[in-house]
Each structure stands twice: as C-alpha cells, then as structure tokens.
Amino acid sequence: QSVLTQPPSVSGAPGQRVTMSCTGSSSNIGAGYDVHWYQQLPGTAPKLLIYGNINRPSGVPDRFSGSKSGTSASLAITGLQAEDEADYYCQSYDSSLSAYVFGTGTKVTVL
Amino acid sequence: EVQLLESGGGFVQPGGSLRLSCAASGFTFTTYAMSWVRQAPGKGLEWVSAIRAFDSSTSYADSVKGRFTISRDNFKNTLYLQMNSLRAEDTAVYYCAKDDGDSVYLFDYWGQGSLVTVSS
C-alpha cells in the first residue's frame, strides 16, 4: 500500500502541458523530506527525472519541472512529446515508517 | 560510467529461498547506501530494503522484515539480497538502486532488474 498518492493517469496532445500531483502527509513530504521523480519507459528500469523537489539531472530536458508545497508535490511536462509516454513515480522518505516511500504512479498518455 | 548488474533471479517454489546479487562499478561503492526496489507484474514500485555505507546498518519494508536480509561486500563491490520463506506475492522484478549519498533517500542509478517468480 503506497503512502504517496498520485492520479492513475493523465493525457495530453503533443505540445500541451500536463501536470501530476503527489500527495503525502506530515510524516513524509510535510516533514520536509525531499520529493524525487522517476520516469519509467515501457519495459525499462526507472530513471531519475527530478531530484530535491525541483532539480533536473544532467541530460533531462527542461520541459520537465517539479515543485513542492506543504504535504504535496507536482511534476509538470510542457511541450509534451510522444517519447514522454511513460509511467512516472514520486518518491520520498517517511519518518514514521522509517522507509523510503513511492507514489502509486501516473501513466502519461500522449494523444 | 555507473553500472549496476543484478543476477540470481529465477523460478522458486513457495517457501523456498533465493539470493540476488548486484555487481556495482563506476563509482566508489564504499561511500554510498544501496537499496533493493521491486515491481510486481503490472504494479508500481515498492522499496524493499536499504543498507548504509557508513556502518552497514540495514532497514526493511514491513512486507519482507524477518524473511529478507540485505548485505554488501565492499571488497567485491557487490550488494546482496537473501530471500527466504518466499511467497507468491514476492513475485516481481527486483532492481538494485544506488543512493545519491549515504542515506540521502534518493536513487540516482538503477540496475536493469532481475525477475523472481514464486509459484508452485
């Protein structure tokens, strides 16, 4: 049972902007732990997309951006491209569970 | 270049055991925490276990506590996961993941995964 809640799916046409939320609680995101985002293309391992709430690793396009506020975080993709079709997971740490926690995952579909 | 190469997956009957290995290269293994993360077929990601670099202290998800044991060999640059008393619900692809520090709680590199199937 995931501690972080994400919408199951979001979709958009090429070029559009889509966003997805990651809702936690006072023992994880709300406690000040950073939120990280991973992209998982079909049949492949997850890849780090955003770290420390807002930072992009080298090589990640600036179309991807992250934000955090209170007990939630968000990932936005602007200028949606066909290659962005993937599953996206948020991740943080939960002090009550003493565990790394993942979101439920959001499937992005490019129409 | 950081590389994480898992091995040891396969088919096992309920109640059986299996040991996964993850050979690491391209970074100073002794200074980073490491984790195992799994993904059941068609499901999301689930953190399984972590081991720190500093003192090799370990932590586990409740779902595997008492059945799985994580360890590391800093001379061989290898991470292990000993899985005992396996259940059908342990069926998943198991990924080895590198922390961005010693318990920074961030996975900056992942292996390609090793499939474990528990079935009679």
Side-chain angles (χ1 to χ4, degrees), chain B residues 92-107:
Chain B
V93 173
Y94 285 74
Y95 295 102
C96 165
K98 171 186 168 293
D99 199 304
D100 190 38
D102 196 10
S103 293
V104 177
Y105 311 127
L106 157 63
F107 305 119

Side-chain angles (χ1 to χ4, degrees), chain A residues 34-76:
Chain A
D34 284 342
V35 177
H36 318 295
W37 292 89
Y38 303 89
Q39 178 192 58
Q40 188 175 33
L41 297 169
T44 69
K47 167 194 157 187
L48 181 63
L49 191 68
I50 296 287
Y51 68 94
N53 308 312
I54 62 171
N55 303 293
R56 287 186 307 277
S58 174
V60 172
D62 60 7
R63 302 184 292 104
F64 295 92
S65 62
S67 64
K68 174 188 167 184
S69 178
T71 57
S72 296
S74 291
L75 174 70

